[in-house]
């Protein structure tokens, strides 16, 4: 069964999209997105987006990597297979720093990529927005705002009227499989 | 006391500030002379620490200016005049180099002929480490720095009148060549004035270590200086939170880089375990010096790293100012930690450390303020100025 999933409106210019985003934000919508083929300066503020929590994921992973790196070498050289190298103590933490650092960077990089995918809800193979023919121009010269149907403020008629009032054109309801 | 005209970007009524620095500098130097009669040997040691601190700071400022030109950075345009102003202290520092030359017999073991005669390594190094060549090199280093400072300042001021449309390009070309000269001269200056205090010891990364410390000192100095101006109601809407954020990022990056270089230096020496190399670190891991070493590790790296790693702290002027203050103090401690353990078994704080620091620093700051207030505080005719003031990431 198909149900409304989102409503899109197109805008002519990046500036128009930016101002429309501010209007949508101020109206109290929370589940909406702006689409353009290039990044628009100031869009984060206009949409009222908060800072991405990605840094904390990366930081956590980096610390984990350092602990794993140091722990692995420490365990091998002191417990599992103790060997004396060049007269230095078994627990020679200085020698482990390089691999610890490398593991920190490696885990941090994993955290960055995987965390980014997770926060962007990727991978996903399809989105109802792609059923709209008009929306395809977003990769070329189109600027769109989409408001999700599960936004608490979403109302088929009022939202359409609101999008028209802030300069949106070609307002279209996107239907998709019910979740 | 200070007055700022935001339409012409000029600073006026800095007279009392200049007087404070001049008077404290002269008093500091006068007391240093007194100290010379009391204990000339200790005075020279304290003096070298202060000299190293202020020279590396000025070198950091020179590097900042050149880096800025070479990369064509926009954000730092509004603070570049401060680094340009600090470059004008090199002639003064050349004068302050004279006592180092005079005191070289008390400072540098390799100047003792009888010691060199009995020491194979010192004989081996004598073609480089001898008094004449030491002085010639010192003068040469200063000649390079003074020349770069003079021309970079001249072009920059010529730009203000609008009479020289090619100034920006000339500054860029000069900086590109200047950075190479700077790398060579500052590396060997670090070898000469600081590393050769222990002439048997060597570390090829030492020049980078001193350079990073100086550059970090320059970044923290500028942060504190502009926070000071801001508190006096000057430049507040020119150097904005965005610029402090950028300074914070630079400080963070170079704190990490400093730790990376310091760690590499330690790591290689620890790994190879050759006595003539490890002795340098062993003396710094004894008694009171161990405390100083730990203080440097904690406050020159660990604390600034943990604090500045977050996005919000780099934008918080109070936090950023505090960290910058800590790091600037740590740069002095770092210089102290490099110089002093060569002479004393244990930490021996002395009033001479203070008077030499104030003596050199007072005059350096006096010269800096004079030059900074003499011209507009930003390059007013630079086409990128507006972009720099409104700069946002």
């Amino acid at each position: 069964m198909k149900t409304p999933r989102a409503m899109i409106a197109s805008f002519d210019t990046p500036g128009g999209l930016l101002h429309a985003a501010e209007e949508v934000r101020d109206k109290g919508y929370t589940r909406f997105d702006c689409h353009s083929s290039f990044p628009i300066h100031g869009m984060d503020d206009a949409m009222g987006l908060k800072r991405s929590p990605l840094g904390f994921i990366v930081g956590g992973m980096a610390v984990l990597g350092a602990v794993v790196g140091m722990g692995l070498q420490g365990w091998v050289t002191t417990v599992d297979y103790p060997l004396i190298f060049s007269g230095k103590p078994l627990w020679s933490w200085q020698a482990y720093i390089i691999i610890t650092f490398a593991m920190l960077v490696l885990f941090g990089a994993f955290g960055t990529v995987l965390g980014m995918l997770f926060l962007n809800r990727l991978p996903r193979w399809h989105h109802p927005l792609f059923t709209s023919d008009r929306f395809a121009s977003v990769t070329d010269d189109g600027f769109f705002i989409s408001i999700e149907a599960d936004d608490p403020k979403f109302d088929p008629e009022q939202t359409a009227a609101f999008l028209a009032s802030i300069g949106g054109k070609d307002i279209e309801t996107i239907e998709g499989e019910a979740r | 006391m200070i007055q700022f005209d935001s339409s012409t970007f000029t600073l006026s009524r800095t007279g009392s500030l200049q007087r404070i620095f001049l008077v404290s500098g002269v008093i500091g130097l006068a007391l240093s002379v007194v100290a010379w009669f009391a204990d000339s040997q200790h005075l020279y040691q304290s003096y070298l620490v202060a000299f190293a601190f202020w020279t590396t700071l000025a070198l950091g400022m020179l590097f900042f200016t050149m880096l800025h030109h070479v990369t064509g950075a926009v954000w730092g345009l509004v603070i570049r005049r401060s680094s340009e102003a600090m470059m004008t202290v090199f002639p003064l520092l050349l004068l302050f180099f004279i006592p180092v030359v005079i005191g070289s017999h008390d400072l540098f073991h390799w100047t003792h002929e009888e010691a060199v005669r009995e020491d194979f390594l010192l004989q081996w190094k004598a073609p480089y480490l001898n008094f004449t060549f030491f002085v010639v090199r010192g003068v040469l280093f200063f000649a390079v720095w003074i020349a770069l400072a003079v021309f970079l300042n001249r072009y920059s001021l010529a730009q203000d009148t609008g009479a020289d449309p090619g100034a920006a390009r000339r500054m860029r070309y000069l900086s590109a060549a200047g950075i190479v000269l700077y790398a060579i001269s500052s590396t060997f200056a670090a070898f000469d004035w600081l590393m050769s205090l222990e002439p048997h010891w060597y570390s090829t990364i030492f020049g980078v270590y001193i350079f990073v410390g100086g550059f970090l000192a320059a970044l923290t100095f500028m942060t504190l200086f502009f926070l000071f101006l801001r508190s006096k109601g000057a430049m507040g809407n020119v150097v904005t939170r965005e610029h402090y954020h950028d300074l914070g990022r630079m400080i963070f990056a170079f704190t990490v880089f400093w730790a990376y270089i310091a760690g590499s230096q330690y790591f290689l020496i620890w790994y190879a375990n050759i006595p003539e190399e490890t002795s340098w670190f062993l003396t710094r891991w004894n008694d009171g010096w161990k405390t100083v070493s730990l203080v440097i590790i904690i406050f020159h790296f660990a604390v600034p790293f943990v604090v500045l790693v977050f996005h919000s702290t780099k934008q918080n002027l109070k936090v950023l100012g505090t960290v910058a203050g800590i790091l600037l103090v740590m740069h002095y401690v770092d210089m102290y930690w490099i110089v002093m353990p060569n002479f004393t078994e244990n930490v021996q704080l002395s009033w001479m450390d203070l008077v030499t620091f104030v003596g050199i620093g007072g005059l350096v700051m006096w010269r800096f303020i004079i030059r900074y207030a003499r011209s507009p505080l930003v390059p007013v005719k630079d086409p990128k100025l507006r972009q720099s003031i409104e700069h946002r990431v």
Side-chain angles (χ1 to χ4, degrees), chain A residues 21-50:
Chain A
E22 287 169 346
E23 298 276 353
V24 176
R25 174 197 68 194
D26 293 343
K27 192 79 178 176
Y29 288 98
T30 48
R31 298 193 173 186
F32 71 102
D33 206 353
C34 297
H35 309 269
S36 101
S37 52
F38 53 83
I40 297 171
H41 218 64
M43 186 53 96
D44 287 13
D45 283 343
M47 288 176 66
L49 294 180
K50 291 196 200 72

Side-chain angles (χ1 to χ4, degrees), chain B residues 158-188:
Chain B
Q159 204 181 21
D160 274 6
T161 63
D164 186 0
R169 188 169 40 88
R170 255 198 294 279
M171 286 190 281
R172 195 162 68 240
Y173 287 171
L174 180 60
S175 299
I179 276 186
V180 177
L181 290 173
Y182 173 92
I184 298 167
S185 56
S186 69
T187 300
F188 282 97

